Amino acid sequence: MWPHRVRLAAGALSLAFLVTCSAPERHPRVARQARPVLHTAALRPVVVLRSAWHADEGAVRDKPVYDTGVRAVFIHHTDNPNDYDCTKDVPVMLRAMEQTHIAQGWDDIGYNFVVDKCGDVYEGRAGGIDRAVQGAHTEGFNIGTVGIAALGHFGAGQPVPQPMLRAIARIAAWKLAPGIDPLGKVRLVSSNDRSRYRRGTAVRLNAISGHRDVYETDCPGDALYAALPWIRRTAARLRKDATWPAGLAASPRRASRAEG
């Protein structure tokens, strides 16, 4: 009987050795590196709210419409004379603009934001500056976009003030959805036949475009249109500066005059 027991023990030992040697090798799990986070709050400019420029809320004809996000920004100019005083004249100009846009059937001022030559940013259409309010600024392409209007006329030969350009770039950097590249293109679909594109037509456009890119107009003027590449680069740089490693506590730093 002993030889039999010895054979069983030897067999068990061999089996144990086989199981031990065949067990999968355990490697420590490599932790995934978290993606950096764009802190849009750090890009938020100082905005003069509607209550400060005394918008006529009683004249607004309909409630705000909200989109799920902002995929593109359209730049405009208002075609006003450029000799206004930033402190005294702008609120009066905005109230006149609101009345005109309502009379044209747009329910409220059409632009989401208006920027003056001093770089001050004003809330345009009602609904909340931190939300994706659908404007009435770019025929056929209001859905999922933001309209920024430069207060004044910026045709060929008319210099665009740097504070104005910096403020426009900051708004664009702030309002575009985190996944949108200010230097890239986006796919938008025309919502009616009054733009350059028939209803239902899908178009690839710059994430920061001029009004004339989708509508028969010279807006935002040759000088401001020529500055769009600078605005795109600046918006991209601002977003890069506001992109921090995951887990880093956000302490939004707001610019005093919307220019960073």
Side-chain angles (χ1 to χ4, degrees):
M1 294 180 63
W2 285 110
H4 179 65
R5 290 183 180 180
V6 171
R7 286 197 299 271
L8 288 177
L13 181 62
S14 299
L15 180 60
F17 181 79
L18 178 63
V19 170
T20 302
C21 292
S22 301
E25 186 178 357
R26 295 181 179 274
H27 294 283
R29 181 175 296 177
V30 178
R32 292 183 180 179
Q33 188 173 2
R35 293 181 178 179
V37 177
L38 173 63
H39 293 278
T40 54
L43 296 166
R44 189 181 189 273
V46 174
V47 180
V48 180
L49 300 180
R50 289 169 63 91
S51 58
W53 59 265
H54 302 293
D56 186 355
E57 305 297 359
V60 176
R61 294 182 178 175
D62 209 349
K63 294 180 179 179
V65 175
Y66 296 101
D67 294 317
T68 56
V70 176
R71 295 183 49 76
V73 168
F74 285 102
I75 309 300
H76 306 256
H77 69 177
T78 63
D79 220 13
N80 292 93
N82 296 335
D83 59 351
Y84 57 85
D85 181 278
C86 292
T87 303
K88 296 187 299 184
D89 297 336
V90 174
V92 177
M93 296 168 74
L94 291 175
R95 289 193 293 272
M97 189 186 305
E98 180 190 24
Q99 293 170 5
T100 300
H101 287 190
I102 290 174
Q104 291 175 332
W106 300 344
D107 298 325
D108 189 2
I109 189 169
Y111 310 118
N112 297 100
F113 298 94
V114 179
V115 180
D116 70 18
K117 62 185 179 183
C118 299
D120 301 308
V121 179
Y122 289 82
E123 178 185 15
R125 198 171 188 84
I129 61 174
D130 292 304
R131 302 187 65 180
V133 179
Q134 189 176 122
H137 50 83
T138 305
E139 192 76 73
F141 292 89
N142 289 313
I143 300 172
T145 68
V146 158
I148 305 172
L151 192 62
H153 175 80
F154 298 100
Q158 177 64 50
V160 187
Q162 276 298 117
M164 173 178 276
L165 291 176
R166 289 195 295 268
I168 292 172
R170 179 166 286 276
I171 300 169
W174 168 46
K175 293 302 294 184
L176 283 171
I180 303 296
D181 180 3
L183 293 169
K185 293 184 179 292
V186 296
R187 180 182 181 274
L188 300 178
V189 178
S190 176
S191 63
N192 62 49
D193 296 332
R194 294 187 291 276
S195 71
R196 288 183 182 270
Y197 303 95
R198 293 182 63 83
R199 179 179 181 181
T201 303
V203 188
R204 283 188 61 78
L205 300 165
N206 288 307
I208 301 176
S209 290
H211 187 190
R212 66 173 65 176
D213 291 326
V214 294
Y215 194 75
E216 294 290 347
T217 178
D218 65 354
C219 180
D222 290 345
L224 183 49
Y225 192 80
L228 292 186
W230 185 93
I231 292 172
R232 294 179 190 119
R233 292 193 302 271
T234 302
R237 177 181 58 78
L238 289 169
R239 283 164 76 95
K240 182 179 179 181
D241 292 344
T243 301
W244 309 329
L248 186 65
S251 55
R253 177 178 57 84
R254 297 182 182 179
S256 60
R257 291 187 66 83
E259 62 186 25

